[in-house]
Amino acid sequence: MIDLHTHSIVSDGSDTPARVVELAVEAGCSALALTDHDSLAGIDPARRRAVELGIAFVPGCEVSCRSIGPGGMHVLVYFVEEDGGPLDAELGRLREDRRRRNLALADRLVALGLPVTYDQVVAVAGGEEGIGRPHFAIALLQAGAVDSVDTAFHRYLADGRPGFVPKSRLTGVEVAALAAASGGVAVLAHPFSTGLEGAELARAVGGLAEVGFSGIEAIYGRYSPRRRRELVHLARRFDLVATGGSDHHGALKPDLRVGTGRGDLKVANQVLVELEARRPGG
Ligand code: AMP
Ligand code: ZN
Ligand code: FE
Ligand code: FE
């Protein structure tokens, strides 16, 4: 078995990249992809550990895109290296824009009269790298301005609320093109997160197949057997690879473990073989 969706401390996971590789070996995986949000920085340390332990390693990342539905859209990219061309360069620009957004968001909350500063948010996040709205929500909670993270989003941080400050996002088409130009492939992560179902989801997935997507994540850690089957069928219908992974984040999502997810996950080695065949020139 394999796992094609994991996060480390490079984004919002709690394990080091090397530790994620160790957990994959302990779980009995023959291959692992590290897919941190918007960054390729974990690839080198993870690969080094993978070579030491004799497990196949797939360099990857997960990009939050402008969505095709009412929910969020995440795209997994595989076979892309750090300093590996246009995608890595674009991820750097996205990280800069995130920092700009975070500074503006802190100003906005102060302007709303809320007792929170940028420095406090940095302290919550343990550094400036990869700060996101969840860290602002925790800072608001710690300051006593809200009674839960959920309230912080509903009252201030969610799209359409007074504290919402947008940041730039790539479209799925752009990510697919950047992936291809960097020697990689694009896969729609946890498709139901888009908020689409049934015929609407099918239409959207068909559109992604047309613009160069290679797969959809069907065998996802948090999906029921029925939903996984539905997505496997959808993948077949559009000649896409039905990929799979746990979405391991360590302590942040303790119910999801590398390789086994909630205990019922099993992604076959064959999935990686099929995905390799979709690489540009592959
Ligand atoms: P950011 O990338 O900084 O804009 O933050 C996005 C993250 O905020 C998402 O990955 C979610 O984990 C979290 N998030 C977004 N909307 C909500 C919400 N309504 N309630 C709780 N968490 C949310
Ligand atoms: Zn994450
Ligand atoms: Fe995701
Ligand atoms: Fe993820």
Side-chain angles (χ1 to χ4, degrees), residues 5 7 11-13 35 37 62 74 247-249 252-253:
H5 190 162
H7 297 271
S11 60
D12 57 351
T35 53
H37 298 280
E62 183 175 23
H74 291 178
D247 209 0
H248 170 88
H249 280 74
L252 199 79
K253 298 182 183 176

Side-chain angles (χ1 to χ4, degrees), residues 105-121 124 135-147 152 155-156:
L105 175 48
D107 286 347
R108 177 74 65 85
L109 296 179
V110 170
L112 289 169
L114 293 164
V116 58
T117 65
Y118 184 69
D119 287 346
Q120 281 164 353
V121 177
V124 166
H135 301 112
F136 283 85
I138 293 167
L140 285 168
L141 178 65
Q142 287 179 355
V146 293
D147 56 14
R155 207 176 284 166
Y156 302 112

Side-chain angles (χ1 to χ4, degrees), residues 23-107:
L23 290 170
V25 171
E26 284 168 25
C29 291
S30 59
L32 169 83
L34 185 68
T35 53
D36 276 308
H37 298 280
D38 304 328
S39 176
L40 303 172
I43 287 172
D44 278 351
R47 188 199 323 273
R48 247 177 277 126
R49 194 71 184 122
V51 168
E52 284 167 7
L53 298 179
I55 179 175
F57 178 71
V58 179
C61 66
E62 183 175 23
V63 185
S64 303
C65 292
R66 207 170 305 157
S67 189
I68 50 174
M73 172 159 134
H74 291 178
V75 175
L76 294 160
V77 180
Y78 296 110
F79 313 118
V80 166
E81 305 289 327
E82 195 171 3
D83 304 321
L87 180 71
D88 191 35
E90 188 57 43
L91 293 178
R93 282 191 284 278
L94 288 175
R95 286 193 297 272
E96 276 169 35
D97 186 69
R98 172 180 287 278
R99 180 163 191 278
R100 172 205 60 79
R101 191 284 309 262
N102 289 339
L103 289 163
L105 175 48
D107 286 347

